[in-house]
Amino acid sequence: MSTQPVILILGAAGQVGTELQKSFAGAGDIKACDHSIADFSKPEDLRALIAHLHPALILNAAAYTAVDRAESEPDLAMAINGHAPRVLAEEAVKLNALLVHYSTDYVFDGTKKSPWVESDPTNPLNVYGRTKLAGEHAIQEVGGRHLIFRTSWVYGPLGNNFLRTMLRLGAERDQLKIVDDQFGAPTSSRAIAEATRAVFDKVSAMNSGYGLYHLTCGGETTWCGFAREIFSLKQQQGSSKVPEIIPIPSSGYPTPATRPANSVLSNQKVQSTFGVSLPDWQSALNAVVTG
Ligand SMILES: NC(=O)c1ccc[n+]([C@@H]2O[C@H](COP(=O)([O-])OP(=O)(O)OC[C@H]3O[C@@H](n4cnc5c(N)ncnc54)[C@H](OP(=O)(O)O)[C@@H]3O)[C@@H](O)[C@H]2O)c1
């Protein structure tokens, strides 16, 4: 039997969960659980799993992330994003375990003209944002040792994300109309996982600094700027099939869920507390696109 501390990774098959398995390799006895083992739609069932595995660290990358579908499945989204995190926090307290949880830029309403800081007032515009905010509040109310990382515009080599959608559509079409009036920071799943490990190492050494942090790649762009950078990198790699990118306003691409106009997050707090900074979004994208 392993004497290493158990690290429980939940949502292990998702974008961030997959990368966490790599960045935490060697840090403990990793127990990676996907949806089939830990079903967040039944939050109470998570208690027995956690009691059985007895983790010292819980990394929760499971979430209901279908932003538009959440508008028509608010109860399911709330169970997964709002209620399950409370159960994780309560079980973590029983074991004196550290809970690491992820939240979103969509807790903000987008009206600020500069990057959002952790203490700014939240006001989510959609069901997904409201359920993620409920998860944050639940963990804070329980009050054990926790790190909540708000991140944004997550992409990587796996799953449903903007990068993969662009590569697929770009291969099929000559023109793509892309929203150019929402500002944010594309953040790779790899950058999130590596920064999570770096913060974990620091917080473990300091035994202080727990709480809420923004954790995104540096800089900012629009979805249209993100798309242009993706195809510019593909062109540099010798791809001959690159679509024309046509900027459009959000009103030209109606979606069930409203998105904030500006969801750029300031990373100042994580930088000043732990000395951890993520790469700028273009470098992180280059690392993913070039493999
Ligand atoms: N993706 C983004 O753009 C974005 C932006 C800001 C913040 N975040 C946050 O970042 C964190 C990681 O997100 P991600 O991008 O890695 O998302 P992801 O790729 O969609 O992964 C989420 C994982 O949660 C799992 N999941 C869904 N319903 C579940 C359930 N009922 N029980 C157990 N697991 C379930 C999914 O499994 P199945 O596929 O099998 O259902 C999936 O593996 C989340 O907290 C998310 O809210 C994401």
Side-chain angles (χ1 to χ4, degrees):
M1 213 176 100
S2 171
T3 55
Q4 290 184 306
V6 169
I7 298 175
L8 173 58
I9 301 181
L10 297 163
Q15 301 189 80
V16 173
T18 302
E19 293 293 332
L20 285 170
Q21 294 177 62
K22 299 178 198 163
S23 64
F24 277 80
D29 177 13
I30 292 185
K31 305 289 186 196
C33 296
D34 66 11
H35 195 152
S36 66
I37 301 171
D39 183 355
F40 277 49
S41 68
K42 299 174 187 136
E44 288 299 318
D45 291 3
L46 299 170
R47 295 191 194 276
L49 177 78
I50 294 170
H52 172 67
L53 292 174
H54 216 282
L57 170 63
I58 301 172
L59 299 168
N60 177 32
Y64 184 111
T65 55
V67 175
D68 288 315
R69 204 167 67 226
E71 296 295 310
S72 53
E73 291 187 328
D75 294 345
L76 179 60
M78 187 58 91
I80 295 167
N81 292 344
H83 300 153
R86 179 182 299 278
V87 170
L88 299 183
E90 288 172 353
E91 293 305 308
V93 164
K94 288 182 195 164
L95 300 173
N96 193 29
L98 170 63
L99 173 62
V100 176
H101 177 78
Y102 298 93
S103 189
T104 174
D105 52 335
Y106 286 2
V107 297
F108 294 117
D109 63 16
T111 52
K112 196 178 174 188
K113 299 296 174 217
S114 55
W116 296 88
V117 296
E118 287 79 350
S119 54
D120 279 330
T122 52
N123 183 27
L125 299 177
N126 55 47
V127 168
Y128 169 74
R130 283 196 284 281
T131 62
K132 293 296 293 183
L133 185 60
E136 289 185 10
H137 288 163
I139 292 169
Q140 289 163 338
E141 279 162 25
V142 173
R145 284 189 303 135
H146 65 264
L147 289 164
I148 299 171
F149 295 125
R150 286 186 188 140
T151 190
S152 67
W153 296 24
V154 180
Y155 68 91
L158 301 169
N160 292 322
N161 61 61
F162 186 82
L163 167 63
R164 282 169 48 95
T165 302
M166 286 301 105
L167 294 177
R168 178 171 48 79
L169 294 179
E172 293 166 2
R173 301 186 193 169
D174 296 328
Q175 278 189 345
L176 295 176
K177 291 180 181 168
I178 310 292
V179 168
D180 199 30
D181 58 3
Q182 292 169 24
F183 291 81
T187 301
S188 76
S189 49
R190 188 191 303 177
I192 295 169
E194 287 176 352
T196 301
R197 175 65 195 269
V199 171
F200 170 73
D201 289 344
K202 287 277 168 65
V203 91
S204 304
M206 294 158 53
N207 195 25
S208 66
Y210 304 102
L212 172 68
Y213 293 90
H214 291 171
L215 195 77
T216 65
C217 280
E220 62 177 79
T221 188
T222 64
W223 293 108
C224 188
F226 189 10
R228 287 203 165 108
E229 187 71 14
I230 290 167
F231 291 113
S232 157
L233 288 169
K234 291 307 286 179
Q235 214 157 22
Q236 284 167 33
Q237 285 184 328
S239 175
S240 53
K241 175 91 178 69
V242 169
E244 181 191 1
I245 304 296
I246 300 169
I248 58 165
S250 300
S251 57
Y253 186 72
T255 51
T258 304
R259 268 86 170 160
N262 172 33
S263 67
V264 179
L265 306 182
S266 164
N267 290 304
Q268 182 59 39
K269 185 180 171 193
V270 77
Q271 161 73 45
S272 60
T273 308
F274 301 114
V276 170
S277 51
L278 279 70
D280 64 72
W281 71 266
Q282 293 97 328
S283 316
L285 178 62
N286 187 49
V288 173
V289 171
T290 58

